[in-house]
Amino acid sequence: MDQLTMLENKSIFIIREAYAKYKDIALLWSVGKDSTTLLWLCQKAFFGKIPFPVIHIDTGYKFPQMYEFRDHYAKEYGLNLIVGRNKEAIDGGMGPGKGSKLDCCNELKTNALKQTIAKYGFKALLLGIRRDEHGIRAKERVFSPRDENFRWNYEDQPAELWDQYKSESEGEDHVRVHPILHMTELDIWKYVKRENLPISELYFSKEGKRFRSIGCEPCCGPVPSTASNVDEIIDEIANATTSERAGRAQDKEDAYTMQKLRSLGYM
Amino acid sequence: MRKKRCLAVGLDGVSRGLVARFMDMGLMPQVKEILSGGFSLHEMDASIPDVSSTSWASFLTGTNPGEHGIYGFMDLKPNAYSMYFPSYTHMAAPSIWDIIGGTAGDKKSTLLDRYGSRFTEPLRSIIMNIPETYPAAPMNGILTAGFVCIDLEKGTYPATAYDYLKSIGYRSDVDSTKAVTDPDAFFEEVDFVLDRRVQAFDHYMKSQPWDLFIAVITETDRLHHFFFDAAFDESHKYHGRFIDFYRKLDGIIGRLFARFHDLTGGEGFFMTMSDHGFTELKKEVYINTLFQKEGLLHLDETKEYFEQIKAPTKAFAMEPARIYLNHEGRYPEGAVGADEVRGVTDQVKRVLAALTYEGENVIKRIYDNDELYSGEAANRGPDMVCLANDGFDLKSAFKKTEVFGNGRFTGMHTRHDAHSILPDSAAPEKRLHIESLSAIILDYFSS
């Protein structure tokens, strides 16, 4: 069996396992490449028709191309699409121009998702996170319990040895399921190519720049790139020396800031 | 009519008391000369907490922290104990250069409400080394950010300014760790960095058009933190170097004043200011250790920083003297219900007020949030903020076993005794506060 088929089988096994355990389950679809890949895998797992809702958290600040893409494929795939918004915060004028970016994310993303989960009573969510995205994800589990405050206790994680997934959980608000945790950014693009998956045009180079990850328009920066199709992206990533989150250099900056603050006794 | 121009020289951590005393000692003849020609040295209050990030944000926005939202160099993310480092992107109020330059965008403030309509023709600013202005946002002019400037390129606008600064070896800050590991090298570095900074000031003053120029020197604060005990103690090993530094600083201020005088024919608006005062540090005081001993704070010591906080914690402190109640609903391990707020607040105040060191009261005053802050960001601020008596530096370190201790610092910030030198035509009617300086500059430009 080739590598991509193995990765695909593993993901499909996790998706089916999750659905068998939790009937109140939904897929979180950001319209980005990872969750769009996951959407595709869910279709494959259930022979073309996803038997649970697909949630899109809409901050109102996504790229116009993302809304077009979402609506087009929601219709084409016959998805049961739930668009989650924190209406109160949006009506209150929350946005990147008001208050801090953290408040904006917290209200328009985190609280919008909390409200959506509460409204529909979901017990499990399928998410397209990947282990190679970020150092903190190294300890993430495929089945990852969260409390009502969305906290993830990274020091008390269920053991998942080899492929023994711990899908049972107790006393938690909901379980997050990560069927593509084992895939890398490069795997995703190779899989996109093999399956000929539709992918947002924002990922392809225009005037020397492309987005390596997409989200809200005011907070996303493109990276310099000439890769204008999937093959060129695969080539670029295979030879990349910078991380996927290069546009999001926050972690490194925080470490530097801490060192500077410590030298003046502020920590 | 001659074009109006303002040069504001910021001197981080330079207190009124120090300037007055050094002038008396004959160490600052140039400043004395300036003061003899229609200028006065004023004592000024800083924002509370009296930390550079907060105070500079108050200066540059002309608002209180309840409006600009910067309460320190670190803060907690909403609904969490994880930290983030507030930067210029988190500042909710527009800066003075945004107001006069027409670049305030969506930002709002009471200062903008008062003055925005008076600036129909955008004015150009050159802003150098103000702390808390990183990352550089596009503006009408040139800006290079001060502490914490993580990356000079991202801290400088526009890109051509970065190219110039890089070419002269400009650095945003000295390496303060050297003050402990190799003091002689530290003093040399202070000289080196200051020289490049002044070179950049000179370059931009004469080569660029501008209306407002803010030039900030931060080496003063670094020196004070580590060597304030050397300021007046002739037997101190580094007294000579401390004094030499101030002689040099006096010369720099004199030269900037003279150049500005030449550029404006003596009709411009010159001023200096600092973001807080400074005094000698007797003892560091670890508030979180005190809270632990009093049963107000409970920690899971396998974790780091504020993530350690666990129920039934009632209160915790964040640098420098911000006190937060562990509110239910606001924090994951929140243990103070709405009906307990009053009782816990009183308990915290009792504990703090009772704190003494060798018979001396540590805390001078405890302010409630609403005594200090007003604006949309006020509810994100601390529940209380302490002001200590001079000599007691309030800290929020977690890993201390005793409430009192000494670290590597010999100087500490004060809320009172910041300074400003202003032309007598703009002399304030009441005691000067850092939050009112921007309005004084805007009054000058719009009068």
Side-chain angles (χ1 to χ4, degrees), chain A residues 81-241:
Chain A
L81 182 71
I82 294 173
V83 175
R85 289 192 192 92
N86 183 351
K87 196 166 174 311
E88 200 183 318
I90 292 170
D91 291 348
M94 178 49 77
K98 180 178 172 175
S100 76
K101 286 187 177 179
L102 288 165
D103 291 331
C104 184
C105 270
N106 187 52
E107 287 299 334
L108 300 188
K109 285 189 193 166
T110 314
N111 287 341
L113 180 59
K114 277 185 192 174
Q115 290 165 8
T116 308
I117 292 173
K119 184 174 171 189
Y120 293 92
F122 292 122
K123 290 285 164 226
L125 291 179
L126 294 162
L127 276 79
I129 68 162
R130 306 188 333 268
R131 195 162 267 152
D132 75 325
E133 269 178 86
H134 191 287
I136 192 93
R137 301 261 200 251
K139 285 194 78 174
E140 214 11 303
R141 296 293 191 258
V142 173
F143 286 84
S144 181
R146 301 292 152 117
D147 69 10
E148 73 279 6
N149 285 317
F150 280 18
R151 270 183 314 151
W152 171 49
N153 187 352
Y154 59 86
E155 289 181 335
D156 181 21
Q157 289 287 295
E160 279 183 350
L161 302 174
W162 301 284
D163 284 344
Q164 308 292 305
Y165 300 122
K166 187 159 179 340
S167 60
E168 300 274 1
S169 86
E170 277 168 36
E172 301 294 347
D173 188 67
H174 72 276
V175 171
R176 297 206 169 175
V177 186
H178 306 129
I180 62 165
L181 193 62
H182 54 282
M183 291 196 181
T184 64
E185 187 187 13
L186 188 57
D187 293 333
I188 293 287
W189 283 110
K190 284 182 176 168
Y191 189 71
V192 165
K193 178 180 157 66
R194 189 183 90 169
E195 301 289 304
N196 195 22
L197 289 187
I199 216 79
S200 171
E201 62 188 275
L202 293 164
Y203 286 106
F204 303 113
S205 175
K206 240 183 241 141
E207 290 159 13
K209 284 180 175 173
R210 73 176 191 92
F211 290 91
R212 210 167 154 184
S213 66
I214 60 175
C216 292
E217 193 167 5
C219 295
C220 271
V223 294
S225 165
T226 54
S228 58
N229 58 47
V230 176
D231 281 322
E232 286 171 11
I233 289 175
I234 289 172
D235 202 44
E236 178 186 282
I237 293 167
N239 297 300
T241 50

Side-chain angles (χ1 to χ4, degrees), chain A residues 97-98 100 102-103 106 149 151 155 253-254 256-267, chain B residues 73-74 78-79 84-85 134 147 150 154 173-174 226 303 305 319 332-333 376 380 395 408-409 413:
Chain A
K98 180 178 172 175
S100 76
L102 288 165
D103 291 331
N106 187 52
N149 285 317
R151 270 183 314 151
E155 289 181 335
E253 296 204 342
D254 281 357
Y256 177 88
T257 303
M258 276 213 239
Q259 187 262 326
K260 290 297 282 186
L261 293 180
R262 213 175 274 127
S263 75
L264 288 173
Y266 289 124
M267 299 284 292
Chain B
F73 280 115
M74 68 188 75
N79 307 118
Y84 75 98
F85 303 103
Y134 181 90
F147 189 78
I150 298 159
K154 274 177 78 177
D173 196 15
V174 296
F226 297 97
K303 299 190 179 173
Y305 300 110
E319 216 77 69
E333 299 272 320
E376 282 193 23
R380 280 198 280 122
K395 299 276 187 190
R408 54 197 189 278
F409 305 104
H413 296 184

Side-chain angles (χ1 to χ4, degrees), chain B residues 14 97 129-130 146 212 215 232 236 243 260 281 287 294 338 359 368 388 395:
Chain B
V14 173
W97 54 91
N129 195 38
I130 302 187
L212 171 65
F232 305 109
H236 194 291
I243 299 283
F260 182 65
L281 186 160
I287 302 286
E294 297 287 339
D368 289 316
K395 299 276 187 190

Side-chain angles (χ1 to χ4, degrees), chain B residues 65-71 92 369 373-381:
Chain B
E67 277 196 63
H68 63 64
I70 306 293
Y71 291 97
N369 177 300
Y373 309 127
S374 63
E376 282 193 23
N379 60 0
R380 280 198 280 122

